[in-house]
Amino acid sequence: MAASRPPVAVVCVGMAGSGKTTFMQRINAHLHERSEEDGSTTAPPYVLNLDPAVRSVPFDANIDIRDSVNYKEVMKQYNLGPNGAILTSLNLFSTKIDQVMGILEKRCLPQENVKSIPGHIIVDTPGQIEVFVWSASGNILLSSLASSFPTVIAYIIDTPRTTENTSTFMSNMLYAISILYKIRLPMILVFNKTDVKSEDEAVEWMRDFETFQDAIRKEESEEREGSGYMGSLLNSMSLVLEEFYNHLSVVGVSAMTGDGIDDFFAAIEEKREEFEKDYKPELERRRAVAEEQKSQVREQEVSRMMKDMQDDDDSLDGRRANDDDDEDAVNEAFEESLKARYEAALRDSGGAAATARTGTAAVNYIRSSQR
Ligand SMILES: Nc1nc2c(ncn2[C@@H]2O[C@H](COP(=O)(O)OP(=O)(O)OP(=O)(O)O)[C@@H](O)[C@H]2O)c(=O)[nH]1
């Protein structure tokens, strides 16, 4: 029986040292095991590495940014520092997004006579989270991915470090919000390193703001967090964030021991449904708006061109005073056909379907960033 539904793309983002790469290695191993058990229908995951600066990855990547962009060379040639070189490498890679999407669609989308396709596409990203999340190329890569596959963001958090105190916790949550609103894709908060410290305290702080406020009061009484202003800011934020927390899936895992990985994949399935139900219609709406804008621009271009031609014609009118009616009719017909052909050429200029789709994703983003 041929596989019938596309894989979920799981994009791992997280601050440097949160355990992203270890987590990628863990879920990759887990999915390979699952595929061996269930080999007839699910192929092993398709793996993408988008971190150009990583020296070595402890898993085999099917598509690796390092194969097409040499980070060290980019640094040298463009005279850039580490972050600038990561950004430029991502930009260079995103110019090849059509090829990348072509490979992904060929390897991962259900097709007749293909018995098994991957159940998941897993993606590692640079530890310099802002370089990926806030760059045009990061956005192009994500929106292209989401145009073909249900896409979920796994935000990896270093639990012991994040729950050190309430303000570190709040900072991390605000960062998660900024990513959620920027990327506009379903997100799972993955509290990693639970072998060192359980995620229970963090989850309680999220689910019950009174517990969080108790923790703030406790820190204030121990004078760990200094001014009362900070305490009252944290208090207010915890109330505001309650609504945001309700939309997030939260899991505790240990990438080191493998604890909680099944819960993570259960959350992925929930988010796949959420993507199909809530996010996909919104993505399609945004794409339709961009298409509409694009066709309006085309129409304006055609009208402008026709007007220019008309003006040229008018300036020649004096010299054509003796032209008879038949000739006018022929000219008119010629102009109509020229206009039709010009419009058709503009319509087709998007090229193949895949190019048009991923191109739209790029145009979409560039448009929205220009607004
Ligand atoms: N105890 C424990 N340590 C972990 C776990 N996951 C990762 N680590 C450790 O955390 C450190 C950072 O892990 P990485 O996987 O390199 O983190 P990263 O987020 O990929 O870091 P960058 O490559 O800098 O972006 C390493 O020393 C890991 O061994 C875990 O679940 N438990």
Side-chain angles (χ1 to χ4, degrees), residues 161-177:
R161 209 190 299 167
T162 297
T163 50
E164 256 169 24
N165 57 48
T166 50
S167 52
T168 312
F169 178 78
M170 184 56 77
S171 312
N172 217 323
M173 292 302 107
L174 291 175
Y175 208 71
I177 298 182

Side-chain angles (χ1 to χ4, degrees), residues 222-239:
E222 290 168 6
E223 288 188 302
R224 277 167 59 192
E225 276 311 305
S227 78
Y229 161 73
M230 190 64 185
S232 75
L233 177 67
L234 289 171
N235 262 320
S236 321
M237 298 299 271
S238 65
L239 291 173

Side-chain angles (χ1 to χ4, degrees), residues 35 45 50 65 87 101 113 128-129 136 167 177 203 225 249 254 259 290 297 313 322 325 327 332 335 367:
S35 155
L50 296 183
I65 186 171
L87 180 63
M101 289 309 296
N113 306 323
Q128 287 76 353
I129 201 168
S167 52
I177 298 182
V203 174
E225 276 311 305
S249 294
S254 166
D259 213 35
V297 170
D313 265 7
N322 296 329
D325 289 351
E327 200 176 336
E332 239 170 67
E335 274 177 25
R367 284 246 165 76

Side-chain angles (χ1 to χ4, degrees), residues 62-350:
N62 299 88
I63 297 178
D64 194 325
I65 186 171
R66 294 173 305 164
D67 293 337
S68 28
V69 188
N70 184 334
Y71 165 75
K72 286 259 149 90
E73 271 306 304
V74 169
M75 246 176 146
K76 251 195 249 159
Q77 284 195 12
Y78 295 85
N79 198 19
L80 294 167
N83 285 353
I86 291 176
L87 180 63
T88 306
S89 302
L90 280 169
N91 287 344
L92 291 171
F93 185 73
S94 72
T95 62
K96 297 181 195 297
I97 188 65
D98 286 342
Q99 282 156 270
V100 174
M101 289 309 296
I103 297 171
L104 281 176
E105 286 173 1
K106 193 160 162 231
R107 302 269 177 238
C108 304
L109 283 180
Q111 285 170 45
E112 259 181 58
N113 306 323
V114 175
K115 263 215 229 139
S116 66
I117 53 166
H120 300 81
I121 296 169
I122 56 178
V123 186
D124 197 7
T125 59
Q128 287 76 353
I129 201 168
E130 68 287 356
V131 174
F132 184 72
V133 171
W134 296 97
S135 64
S137 46
N139 218 309
I140 289 169
L141 294 167
L142 283 174
S143 46
S144 300
L145 208 53
S147 71
S148 293
F149 303 96
T151 305
V152 177
I153 304 297
Y155 180 57
I156 320 294
I157 298 171
D158 181 331
T159 314
R161 209 190 299 167
T162 297
T163 50
E164 256 169 24
N165 57 48
T166 50
S167 52
T168 312
F169 178 78
M170 184 56 77
S171 312
N172 217 323
M173 292 302 107
L174 291 175
Y175 208 71
I177 298 182
S178 69
I179 295 170
L180 183 73
Y181 284 111
K182 179 74 176 66
I183 293 181
R184 292 198 268 178
L185 287 170
M187 183 192 266
I188 301 175
L189 292 191
V190 181
F191 283 96
N192 187 30
K193 308 194 185 180
T194 52
D195 55 302
V196 180
K197 185 171 182 187
S198 151
E199 77 283 12
D200 291 349
E201 189 177 35
V203 174
E204 226 181 313
W205 282 355
M206 291 172 72
R207 300 289 180 233
D208 179 1
F209 67 88
E210 284 180 1
T211 321
F212 186 69
Q213 292 179 341
D214 287 345
I216 298 169
R217 272 193 288 277
K218 188 160 171 272
E219 279 174 9
E220 275 179 341
S221 68
E222 290 168 6
E223 288 188 302
R224 277 167 59 192
E225 276 311 305
S227 78
Y229 161 73
M230 190 64 185
S232 75
L233 177 67
L234 289 171
N235 262 320
S236 321
M237 298 299 271
S238 65
L239 291 173
V240 173
L241 290 191
E242 216 191 355
E243 177 64 21
F244 158 74
Y245 292 150
N246 289 337
H247 292 286
L248 288 177
S249 294
V250 179
V251 289
V253 303
S254 166
M256 195 78 101
T257 66
D259 213 35
I261 295 295
D262 284 329
D263 295 341
F264 172 73
F265 281 106
I268 288 283
E269 282 314 304
E270 262 176 40
K271 292 289 160 189
R272 174 206 280 270
E273 276 166 34
E274 199 178 308
F275 177 91
E276 298 288 352
K277 202 160 75 62
D278 301 333
Y279 285 78
K280 204 170 161 188
E282 172 59 16
L283 277 176
E284 277 163 7
R285 190 194 62 76
R286 295 209 307 258
R287 205 170 299 140
V289 169
E291 266 313 316
E292 175 61 29
Q293 285 171 347
K294 214 161 134 187
S295 89
Q296 278 174 8
V297 170
R298 273 185 205 136
E299 268 169 34
Q300 281 166 5
E301 278 174 15
V302 172
S303 313
R304 206 175 315 129
M305 191 198 73
M306 295 314 292
K307 191 172 170 300
D308 289 348
M309 285 168 64
Q310 189 64 51
D311 290 348
D312 287 348
D313 265 7
D314 289 349
S315 68
L316 289 172
D317 267 359
R319 278 174 272 159
R320 284 192 190 150
N322 296 329
D323 285 357
D324 60 19
D325 289 351
D326 282 355
E327 200 176 336
D328 283 349
V330 170
N331 283 343
E332 239 170 67
F334 174 74
E335 274 177 25
E336 277 308 310
S337 114
L338 182 67
K339 184 177 173 182
R341 272 183 289 147
Y342 188 73
E343 278 174 340
L346 277 174
R347 251 197 324 278
D348 295 343
S349 64

